[in-house]
Amino acid sequence: MLVPAIKILKSARERHYAVPALNINNLEALKAIVAAAVKMRSPIIVQTSEGAIEYAGMDYLIAMAKVAAKAPIPMALHLDHGKNLKLIKEAIQKGYTSVMFDGSSLPLKENVAKTKQVVAWARAKKVSVEAEIGAIAGIEDFVSVEEKDAHLTNPEQAAKFVKETKCDSLAVAIGTAHGAFKFKGETHLDIERLKKIARLVKNPIVLHGASGVMEDVVKLAEYHGAKLGKARGVLDEDIKQAIKYGVSKINIDTDLRLGFTAGIREAVDQMGNVIDPRKLLEPAIILMREIAMRKMILFKSEGKA
Ligand code: G3H
Ligand code: 13P
Ligand code: ZN
């Protein structure tokens, strides 16, 4: 059964581990992450972006997730970076058990008002709501301390935002960025800022843009022809610190995308005589499963189901 995300996240915050929130667009990725969760006995949050819904169709994604949720682990189906209110409402009505309203690019007043609206819709259906305050972007994108302060999450503002909106969990900006190119120079997260946020916000805290861009996976993809340049991710050490100071949901998309890419490139390279899509996609599923398992160990969610 799919459960509200807050059910899974509360105990993660209390017990100092983080639930992997893994983005999927297709059956292959879903099968990989569910197999990993069952093997590791880890709770998971299966999440789909608005782009994933456009690609696969909301009804297909919900149907697949409902089948996946028969696995003996706690699982939530979450709408990632929901910006379109109509789509968010539809997700709540059709069976998502968690939605994010991403009003981070809106003026604060509008972010508060729209988050409150989503919370009102969600409460009626026992659906959890994640909200965001601050802009998720690499620290190096800011040229001055003032600019950094203006974009990263302000701890006092975060506390006021959660109190006012009554959202269940809060995504914060502490220097991570989406995608495979997170840092130009040294990798660095603002852990001091996170500590201050966590002192004031007792709800589960969410870390976006948290992929590690694992070297071995990048190398495998590049060996088989991918051109990934200076791809750089968040260090495992920073992830451990983030969990220690209150992060209880960690979003991973890029690492799974890299695994998928490496897997299909290797298959196409090595199986020139194969035309069966099941055989060509199998290495990608295996690699994504392994990557998800590594995250469960790093996030300490292993054995918590
Ligand atoms: O945070 C964004 C996720 O990686 C989803 O990306 O909108 O390309 O599906 P997408
Ligand atoms: P990555 O790009 O680091 O995987 O982040 C994914 C994410 O935050 C999805 O919301
Ligand atoms: Zn994100």
Side-chain angles (χ1 to χ4, degrees), residues 47 59 87 130 176 224 239 241 249 260 263:
Q47 58 187 18
D59 293 346
L87 197 82
E130 174 183 329
T176 57
H224 292 288
I239 293 289
Q241 288 278 308
K249 171 177 180 275
F260 186 79

Side-chain angles (χ1 to χ4, degrees), residues 201-220:
V201 175
K202 296 300 165 197
N203 305 51
I205 293 171
V206 182
L207 190 65
H208 283 248
S211 278
V213 186
M214 298 153 158
E215 215 180 299
D216 55 335
V217 181
V218 170
K219 272 196 180 141
L220 182 65

Side-chain angles (χ1 to χ4, degrees), residues 23 47 80-81 177-180 182 207-212 251-255:
N23 285 72
Q47 58 187 18
D80 189 29
H81 291 286
H178 290 106
K182 299 185 190 302
L207 190 65
H208 283 248
S211 278
N251 287 12
I252 300 290
D253 187 1
T254 296
D255 280 338

Side-chain angles (χ1 to χ4, degrees), residues 218-226 261-262 264-267 269-270:
V218 170
K219 272 196 180 141
L220 182 65
E222 287 197 315
Y223 180 79
H224 292 288
T261 300
I264 51 171
R265 280 186 174 277
E266 185 177 48
D269 260 9
Q270 292 179 350

